[in-house]
Amino acid sequence: MLVVITGVSGTGKTTLGMGLSAGLGLPFLDADQFHSPANIAKMSRGEPLSDEDRIPWLQSLADALLEYQKSGGAVLACSALKNAYRQRLQVHTDQHWIHLQGDRDLLWERMLARKGHYMKASMLDSQLAIWEKPSFGLLLNITGTPEQVLQVSLHYLTSQGMKMKIGVIGMGVMGKSLALNLAENGVSVSLYNRFVAGKEEGVAQAIRDAHPEIPHLLAFEDLKKFVESLEQPRKILMMIPAGAAIDAQLDALLPLLEKDDLVIDGGNSFYLDSDRRVNRLKEMGMHFLPMGVSGGEEGARKGPSIMPGGNAEGYAMVADFLGRISAKDKEGKPCVTYVGPGGSGHFIKMVHNSMEYGEMQVLAELVHLLRFGFGCSAAQISAIFSDWAKGELKSFLLEITADLLLFKEGGELLLDKILDQAGQKGTGAWSLTTALEYGIPYSPLAEAVNARGVSGEKAMRVAFSKSFHHEFQKVEGTLETWLPKIKEAYALARIINHEVGFRLMKTVSDTKGWGLNFNEIARIWTNGCIIRSGLMERISANYADQIAFFETPGVKEQVNSGRMALAEVVGLGLTHGFAMPVMSAGINYLLGRITAESSASVIQAQRDYFGAHTYQRKDDPSGKFYHTEWTKS
Ligand code: 6PG
């Protein structure tokens, strides 16, 4: 596509041209740069150019336009004051014209304000004198702001067949933030939000209007028009709630799409649903990208961690866009990678969330113990967490917890006013059921899900706390003695949470033949996502796809040195009335996994005793199964 912007000096051709160039992803050409030295000298003397002066200049511009059209097009800003000049520049059928026109006083003011430009303000009148009303293209008065001029131009070009690079469906918090992030990074975006009378009306347009500073956005409420506004093959990102809504949206969308189009699901969908949808679109010759996105609203707007899986060809279509909008790791590489086939992108996001649940719960357990066991104020706990966050324990969740402990509303701690019932949308529970399905021990992270469930039973908890006279007990020892142990316990509980999550991912990847790259997964989780941390940076450097995560460098030492501290802190909490579900499941899980002689001999004996289920013997390495008549001895 070629776009030519015309107008006398001071109409804002360069500003509009550069805006359009960024939005359309086309090079910007400034006609002034094509003048011969003789022409420049003449203009600098304040002498108007003659037609003879202009002809070779116009010819060089026409040649350049034809050349640029071969590689996709360009945006040219050129005075082209007469229709004859414009005709000389009309070189292609896919060429569009925007003629800027302004009031002489406004132009005069702008010209006088210019510095370092060879055009003299006195030349304005000579330009206006020869300016001819255009016989084709859009004649646009420049009374609005530069953003408004750009918007009107974009709408005009769309009406002329110009297409937007990507479409985003769903203008909730995440959809809106990702769309704005894309547009700010030079990707033109069509926004779509459904119309629901009285509830969702003009949602996309309101977002468009609220961001005049961000060009390259068009708003739609009509799905067909939205689809028609997109460049082919189309790229559409759905940011709508997981579950039935995704299938319903696909049912409405797919009949409007064609072979080779790409649909991305950027929500928290269940990975088996995503597997199914990848196949559904594949059968139609389309691409489907189930894509985890982490980082919440702030991340989506400024740089999330992005986990696309599914159709690799589809990923290649948007790899550049995703790289532009994602967070960057320490080396400056984008926190996005093609995860693997099927629903693997959503699968790792699900496990990410499960670790997120575990990390959040450990912090919640420590806040309670420090506050009501040791009598620390919220500000003191915040200071402790902030101090930890300066070292190798640094993590986003630790930092935000330190922060929220200081937040006051009406002079009082907001935290104390928040109802103690934790919400959940499903990813934690799905991880747990997946772990059970694959026979992977998951107790520490499972306890984070269970703890949210128990928290939901508020009325029962209140009633039981009375009937069982439950109260937190004050710890007698000093905080100074306990704090180093608490810190070690916290560090180890986090290592355990990560080991549990990575082990599930490794097992499922191996079983499904996904071949996931865990160093790379940890790398894209070092920034942008909710579980970014110093520990994740260590994992990204050391994990090397191994199942023996506890033995990786740096981790092994902490498993050895921290396990007594974790046991003691959990013991302290339990004996003083504090439920510590994730930390205590963590130490149980760890001890269970490093115990050579487990108590399972008793289980096997019991099974054989009551049900003749048989058992194997330590003194028979052949693995033969034995049964004993237990009651006959
Ligand atoms: C993220 C978050 C995000 C969301 C969770 C919340 O990585 O950005 O995980 O996806 O906050 O889905 O889940 P719950 O509502 O289940 O806590």
Side-chain angles (χ1 to χ4, degrees):
M1 168 190 270
L2 295 172
V3 182
V4 185
I5 304 158
T6 79
V8 299
S9 280
T11 43
K13 299 186 292 292
T14 307
T15 308
L16 175 62
M18 287 170 58
L20 285 176
S21 144
L24 306 176
L26 295 175
F28 172 64
L29 308 178
D30 182 350
D32 286 347
Q33 308 293 332
F34 287 71
H35 273 298
S36 64
N39 279 3
I40 295 178
K42 203 167 175 186
M43 288 186 284
S44 304
R45 290 195 300 273
E47 293 173 31
L49 296 178
S50 66
D51 278 0
E52 289 75 55
D53 296 328
R54 284 193 171 101
I55 285 167
W57 170 62
L58 290 167
Q59 192 52 51
S60 65
L61 289 170
D63 294 345
L65 284 176
L66 266 180
E67 207 48 43
Y68 274 95
Q69 177 60 21
K70 288 182 197 153
S71 52
V75 178
L76 168 70
C78 172
S79 53
L81 303 173
K82 296 183 182 178
N83 280 323
Y85 303 162
R86 294 165 194 148
Q87 262 139 22
R88 280 183 179 270
L89 294 178
Q90 177 63 47
V91 295
H92 200 272
T93 47
D94 189 14
Q95 182 166 350
H96 306 279
W97 292 80
I98 299 169
H99 309 282
L100 300 179
Q101 187 193 27
D103 187 75
R104 186 191 173 281
D105 290 346
L106 174 66
L107 296 171
W108 185 245
E109 226 173 84
R110 286 194 185 183
M111 297 280 293
L112 289 175
R114 276 193 189 180
K115 288 201 177 79
H117 196 280
Y118 57 73
M119 286 287 291
K120 296 270 184 283
S122 56
M123 301 212 16
L124 177 61
D125 287 334
S126 69
Q127 290 201 338
L128 286 171
I130 62 161
W131 183 81
E132 288 172 8
K133 196 168 179 216
S135 51
F136 48 84
L138 171 74
L139 181 58
L140 179 56
N141 202 300
I142 56 161
T143 43
T145 62
E147 288 82 15
Q148 285 165 336
V149 170
L150 180 55
Q151 269 313 297
V152 176
S153 303
L154 277 173
H155 268 282
Y156 169 72
L157 291 173
T158 323
S159 74
Q160 297 300 300
M162 183 201 80
K163 304 293 182 191
M164 306 298 269
K165 297 272 175 214
I166 195 166
V168 180
I169 293 181
M171 290 295 113
V173 170
M174 293 298 281
K176 168 184 145 182
S177 305
L178 284 172
L180 295 177
N181 188 349
L182 279 160
E184 271 184 331
N185 279 285
V187 183
S188 56
V189 189
S190 288
L191 313 174
Y192 169 82
N193 199 85
R194 65 184 180 174
F195 175 86
V196 182
K199 285 187 187 151
E200 294 176 49
E201 293 185 13
V203 178
Q205 189 58 47
I207 292 169
R208 164 59 286 168
D209 295 344
H211 293 278
E213 78 289 2
I214 304 181
H216 330 310
L217 291 173
L218 286 180
F220 295 89
E221 213 157 39
D222 176 316
L223 192 61
K224 189 160 176 283
K225 286 196 180 130
F226 162 76
V227 169
E228 282 167 1
S229 75
L230 301 173
E231 182 183 279
Q232 283 176 283
R234 300 173 188 94
K235 299 153 202 85
I236 296 175
L237 167 61
M238 296 193 298
M239 294 303 300
I240 58 176
I246 298 283
D247 289 313
Q249 186 64 70
L250 285 175
D251 289 344
L253 185 62
L254 294 181
L256 303 174
L257 301 186
E258 286 162 87
K259 194 173 161 296
D260 295 332
D261 285 349
L262 165 71
V263 182
I264 308 168
D265 172 9
N268 279 329
S269 289
F270 184 48
Y271 76 102
L272 292 178
D273 289 336
S274 303
D275 272 346
R276 172 172 58 75
R277 291 170 189 143
V278 170
N279 290 331
R280 177 178 177 190
L281 269 79
K282 198 173 170 191
E283 279 163 19
M284 300 173 81
M286 298 178 198
H287 310 295
F288 189 67
L289 219 57
M291 183 173 92
V293 179
S294 178
E297 180 177 11
E298 170 98 354
R301 186 75 171 79
K302 301 202 174 132
S305 169
I306 309 182
M307 300 150 238
N311 189 288
E313 239 178 283
Y315 173 66
M317 291 164 69
V318 285
D320 169 43
F321 300 164
L322 298 179
R324 289 196 220 179
I325 63 166
S326 66
K328 306 295 174 286
D329 70 13
K330 272 185 157 176
E331 262 77 58
K333 270 179 80 180
C335 289
V336 56
T337 195
Y338 172 69
V339 175
S344 57
H346 276 150
F347 169 76
I348 68 158
K349 176 59 178 26
M350 174 187 86
V351 181
H352 164 286
N353 280 20
S354 174
M355 290 190 257
E356 172 185 302
Y357 277 37
E359 294 290 274
M360 292 164 76
Q361 178 62 29
V362 169
L363 283 164
E365 289 170 19
L366 288 180
V367 168
H368 244 206
L369 179 63
L370 287 167
R371 215 166 163 209
F372 304 111
F374 286 93
C376 295
S377 67
Q380 277 173 305
I381 304 170
S382 173
I384 293 169
F385 286 2
S386 297
D387 182 49
W388 290 355
K390 285 185 200 131
E392 64 171 29
L393 281 178
K394 77 168 179 181
S395 86
F396 171 72
L397 285 170
L398 182 61
E399 282 158 25
I400 64 159
T401 311
D403 214 24
L404 64 84
L405 281 162
L406 298 178
F407 196 93
K408 299 264 175 67
E409 190 188 69
E412 288 167 24
L413 197 62
L414 175 60
L415 188 62
D416 287 339
K417 301 182 184 181
I418 295 178
L419 186 65
D420 52 333
Q421 287 184 319
Q424 52 183 321
K425 290 193 220 62
T427 44
W430 296 338
S431 302
L432 169 53
T433 53
T434 305
L436 290 172
E437 184 192 334
Y438 282 81
I440 292 299
Y442 213 66
S443 46
L445 297 182
E447 279 307 309
V449 180
N450 294 337
R452 291 196 186 189
V454 173
S455 80
E457 300 172 326
K458 174 82 179 173
M460 190 182 288
R461 287 191 286 113
V462 171
F464 279 169
S465 78
K466 289 187 187 125
S467 60
F468 293 103
H469 309 292
H470 175 267
E471 273 175 12
F472 298 128
Q473 306 296 311
K474 281 264 173 319
V475 174
E476 274 165 22
T478 63
L479 181 62
E480 286 69 38
T481 331
W482 276 98
L483 204 51
K485 286 184 191 171
I486 294 173
K487 188 177 177 184
E488 267 196 294
Y490 172 55
L492 182 54
R494 289 181 53 190
I495 285 173
I496 294 168
N497 285 343
H498 285 72
E499 194 270 353
V500 170
F502 272 79
R503 187 169 179 208
L504 176 62
M505 288 193 289
K506 171 91 175 111
T507 307
V508 175
S509 169
D510 288 351
T511 311
K512 288 179 87 80
W514 280 341
L516 302 188
N517 177 341
F518 294 101
N519 281 17
E520 182 64 354
I521 289 169
R523 184 192 69 74
I524 66 166
W525 287 351
T526 58
N527 201 5
C529 77
I530 302 295
I531 58 171
R532 60 188 185 260
S533 67
L535 176 58
M536 197 61 81
E537 285 167 16
R538 278 159 58 200
I539 294 174
S540 74
N542 287 322
Y543 186 81
D545 286 4
Q546 55 188 293
I547 209 142
F549 173 60
F550 284 143
E551 294 190 322
T552 51
V555 171
K556 190 170 182 179
E557 295 76 10
Q558 278 182 286
V559 171
N560 280 332
S561 66
R563 64 181 192 262
M564 189 52 83
L566 181 53
E568 278 187 63
V569 170
V570 166
L572 179 80
L574 296 181
T575 51
H576 288 75
F578 294 89
M580 306 193 81
V582 171
M583 294 185 80
S584 56
I587 186 63
N588 272 304
Y589 171 86
L590 178 68
L591 291 177
R593 294 209 55 216
I594 62 173
T595 298
E597 291 296 320
S598 83
S599 57
S601 306
V602 181
I603 307 294
Q604 285 299 78
Q606 289 164 335
R607 291 176 72 237
D608 192 54
Y609 190 115
F610 64 68
H613 292 294
T614 72
Y615 57 88
Q616 292 163 296
R617 297 179 63 100
K618 292 174 184 170
D619 54 8
D620 181 358
S622 75
K624 182 178 155 195
F625 285 89
Y626 292 83
H627 169 61
T628 297
E629 293 296 324
W630 295 86
T631 50
K632 290 191 182 145
S633 65

